[in-house]
């Protein structure tokens, strides 16, 4: 009898523990908008990696480079400046180091296509969710999504109560980062959101010939105004400004004998030629200066069985960059004050069904107008220096 009681007790404890484990192991339903309609991540026929606000906060994600650390299929590489960055999904992507090159991975913010991937490389602030779609997405996102899509969804204004937060971070190299957000209702039908960040740190790549490289002084601000005059109609206006001033993208390097011999001949300091000592001497300081303004308005009207959406956007930016392409104290090849400007207007109309049953539909149209310019009067651009012939001749043996 005692053995039977022990067995019954053990079975009861096993069933109880498994019930608790099953309760904790139950997956929380993740709602995404990868297919331009709110659906469960498990129900859509698209390979999507979704990062929630909690994941972004706990992982300390600051920019798209940090996102790549959590999404194995996504890689981000930057060489000359942030606008020459390449987003690659499953190894496919395009580096946009020239205005004529179009992206293969579309970068989307709140449903708005960013004409240049570099526009999305700044600090991520007040993010609700990040979705990385793998594979061709041209049907819903257009021609520049052959390799996939990175979609960033920021938080919407809170119509119920006023809330906000302030966050400060300090670190090595005089790192200072301040981030904050406030949102709440203005009236029964109007709500607002205001968020921004300031990010500054000193350069970590030491130089004996000028300022240390890879320093930054960036800030951005975003405001949203939500208006819902009726249960059917919702309008949201978003405006943002991004200002970046960095000494990106200095790189450690090893030099050939032709370069070191010329440095000795000119009496210039010769580096240790250690690619991992975080030291590099250059004769042209790296610099990247970006100013970007953007605005969009989204209108949603809900019918009984469908939702009509209009998304109008405008983005204008200008930036200039300088870098020492030969990574040395010699005057071989450099880019000085290479200027770019861009402006993009887009208009999207979409009718999305909300029917009972498995049959659903989506009808839409998209228009984009973009103007890109490189250079201008008085610009230096790419410079071939006086040491090119000496170093080139020694390198080739001529």
């Amino acid at each position: 009898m005692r053995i039977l009681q022990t067995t019954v007790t053990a079975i009861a404890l096993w069933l109880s523990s498994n019930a608790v484990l099953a309760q904790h192991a139950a997956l929380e339903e993740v709602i995404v908008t990868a297919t331009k309609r709110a659906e469960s991540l498990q129900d859509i026929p698209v390979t999507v990696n979704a990062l929630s606000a909690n994941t972004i906060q706990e992982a300390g994600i600051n920019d798209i480079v940090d996102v790549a650390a959590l999404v194995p299929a996504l890689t981000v590489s930057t060489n000359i400046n942030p606008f020459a960055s390449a987003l690659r999904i499953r190894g496919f992507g395009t580096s946009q180091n020239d205005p004529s090159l179009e992206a293969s991975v579309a970068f989307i913010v709140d449903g708005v296509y960013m004409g240049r991937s570099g526009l999305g490389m700044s600090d991520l602030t007040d993010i609700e969710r990040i979705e990385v779609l793998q594979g061709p997405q041209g049907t819903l996102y257009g021609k520049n999504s052959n390799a996939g899509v990175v979609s960033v969804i920021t938080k919407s204004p809170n119509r119920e109560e006023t809330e906000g937060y302030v966050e400060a971070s300090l670190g090595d190299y005089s790192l200072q980062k301040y981030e904050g957000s406030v949102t709440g209702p203005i009236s029964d039908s109007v709500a607002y959101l205001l968020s921004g960040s300031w990010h500054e740190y000193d350069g970590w790549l030491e130089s004996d010939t000028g300022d240390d490289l890879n320093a930054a002084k960036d800030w951005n601000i975003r405001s949203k105004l939500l208006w819902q005059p009726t249960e059917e109609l919702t309008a949201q206006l978003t405006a943002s400004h991004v200002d970046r001033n960095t000494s990106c993208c200095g790189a450690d390097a090893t030099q050939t004998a032709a370069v070191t011999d010329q440095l000795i001949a000119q009496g210039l300091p010769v580096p240790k030629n250690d690619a991992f000592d975080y030291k590099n001497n250059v004769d042209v300081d790296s610099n990247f200066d970006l100013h970007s303004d953007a605005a969009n308005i989204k209108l949603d009207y809900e019918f009984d069985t469908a939702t009509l959406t209009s998304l109008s956007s405008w983005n204008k930016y200008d930036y200039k960059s300088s870098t020492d392409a030969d990574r040395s104290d010699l005057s071989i090849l450099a880019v000085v004050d290479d200027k770019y400007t861009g402006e993009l207007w887009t208009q999207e109309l979409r009718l999305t069904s909300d029917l009972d049953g498995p049959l659903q539909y989506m009808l839409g149209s998209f228009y984009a107008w973009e103007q890109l310019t490189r250079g201008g009067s008085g610009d230096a651009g790419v410079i071939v220096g006086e040491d090119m012939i000496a170093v080139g001749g020694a390198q080739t043996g001529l």
Side-chain angles (χ1 to χ4, degrees):
M1 185 67 178
R2 183 174 300 171
I3 297 175
L4 178 61
Q5 288 179 341
T6 304
T7 305
V8 171
T9 303
I11 294 175
L13 289 173
W14 180 81
L15 292 173
S16 176
S17 62
N18 275 273
V20 172
L21 288 174
Q23 181 178 359
H24 286 284
L27 294 176
E28 179 183 355
E29 185 179 29
V30 178
I31 302 299
V32 296
T33 54
T35 57
K36 296 199 173 183
R37 67 166 79 232
E39 294 180 291
S40 172
L41 181 61
Q42 294 179 309
D43 295 337
I44 61 174
V46 180
T47 303
V48 181
N49 296 95
L51 306 181
S52 66
N54 289 336
T55 300
I56 295 170
Q57 178 70 22
E58 292 173 359
I61 293 176
N62 293 315
D63 53 31
I64 190 63
V65 177
D66 295 333
V67 174
L70 296 183
V71 180
L74 174 66
T75 57
V76 180
S77 59
T78 302
N79 45 39
I80 299 175
N81 62 65
F83 266 64
S85 300
L87 304 183
R88 293 186 172 87
I89 295 180
R90 296 174 176 172
F92 296 96
T94 305
S95 179
Q96 294 180 278
N97 54 6
D98 188 274
S100 62
L101 297 177
E102 298 282 349
S104 299
V105 176
F107 199 98
I108 310 290
V109 178
D110 289 334
V112 176
Y113 171 70
M114 301 283 101
R116 303 283 107 180
S117 300
L119 292 170
M121 299 296 291
S122 56
D123 292 339
L124 301 177
T125 306
D126 230 15
I127 304 301
E128 177 181 306
R129 190 173 65 258
I130 298 176
E131 301 173 5
V132 179
L133 289 67
Q134 302 179 28
Q137 307 295 331
T139 301
L140 292 178
Y141 290 94
K143 66 174 184 177
N144 293 336
S145 58
N146 298 333
V149 172
V150 176
S151 179
V152 177
I153 299 92
T154 62
K155 294 180 180 178
S156 296
N158 190 332
R159 296 180 55 207
E160 304 299 328
E161 59 180 356
T162 299
E163 62 178 1
Y165 71 92
V166 176
E167 183 177 297
S169 302
L170 301 175
D172 292 342
Y173 300 99
S174 301
L175 168 67
Q176 301 178 63
K177 185 175 183 180
Y178 308 99
E179 182 178 324
S181 175
V182 60
T183 180
I186 298 177
S187 66
D188 292 339
S189 60
V190 180
Y192 74 95
L193 182 146
L194 182 64
S195 64
S197 72
W198 174 281
H199 190 189
E200 181 178 356
Y201 57 88
D202 295 337
W204 51 264
L205 185 61
E206 296 181 19
S207 174
D208 295 327
T209 58
D211 296 333
D212 292 342
L213 304 179
N214 296 332
K217 183 182 292 185
D218 305 339
W219 66 274
N220 65 74
I221 188 170
R222 181 190 301 113
S223 60
K224 291 187 176 186
L225 190 65
L226 179 66
W227 179 44
Q228 190 172 9
T230 66
E231 292 185 0
E232 295 81 14
L233 178 62
T234 302
Q236 181 169 271
L237 174 64
T238 303
S240 63
H241 175 80
V242 175
D243 194 293
R244 302 192 65 183
N245 188 353
T246 75
S247 58
C248 174
C249 297
D252 211 338
T254 57
Q255 304 292 353
T256 63
V259 174
T260 56
D261 289 346
Q262 190 65 25
L263 288 170
I264 296 173
Q266 296 187 23
L268 298 173
V270 179
K272 294 181 179 179
N273 245 7
D274 181 356
F276 302 98
D277 62 356
Y278 302 107
K279 294 182 180 180
N280 196 11
N281 296 339
V282 295
D283 63 323
V284 175
D285 289 335
S286 295
N287 183 62
F288 176 77
D289 193 11
L290 166 69
H291 305 278
S292 173
D293 294 292
N296 68 76
I297 182 168
K298 183 181 180 182
L299 303 174
D300 288 308
Y301 190 88
E302 296 185 6
F303 298 98
D304 291 338
T305 59
T307 300
L308 179 63
T309 300
S310 171
L311 182 57
S312 309
S313 72
W314 166 80
N315 190 356
K316 188 173 184 179
Y317 62 89
D318 63 82
Y319 72 92
K320 62 179 180 179
S321 66
S322 300
T323 188
D324 193 336
D326 57 76
R327 314 290 188 185
S328 76
D329 201 7
L330 297 178
S331 178
I332 301 175
L333 186 64
V335 178
V336 178
D337 288 341
D338 195 10
K339 295 183 179 179
Y340 295 77
T341 60
E343 186 173 9
L344 175 64
W345 293 83
T346 67
Q347 173 62 54
E348 181 177 0
L349 289 174
R350 189 168 67 245
L351 183 65
T352 306
S353 67
D354 186 17
L355 302 174
D356 295 330
L359 179 62
Q360 302 290 342
Y361 66 86
M362 181 181 295
L363 302 174
S365 63
F366 180 82
Y367 170 80
W369 177 90
E370 186 173 16
Q371 181 176 351
L372 303 170
T373 305
R374 181 180 185 180
S377 59
D379 296 337
V382 180
I383 297 176
V384 177
E386 57 187 11
D387 295 323
M388 171 65 81
I389 295 178
V391 173
Q395 187 73 40
T396 59
L398 299 178

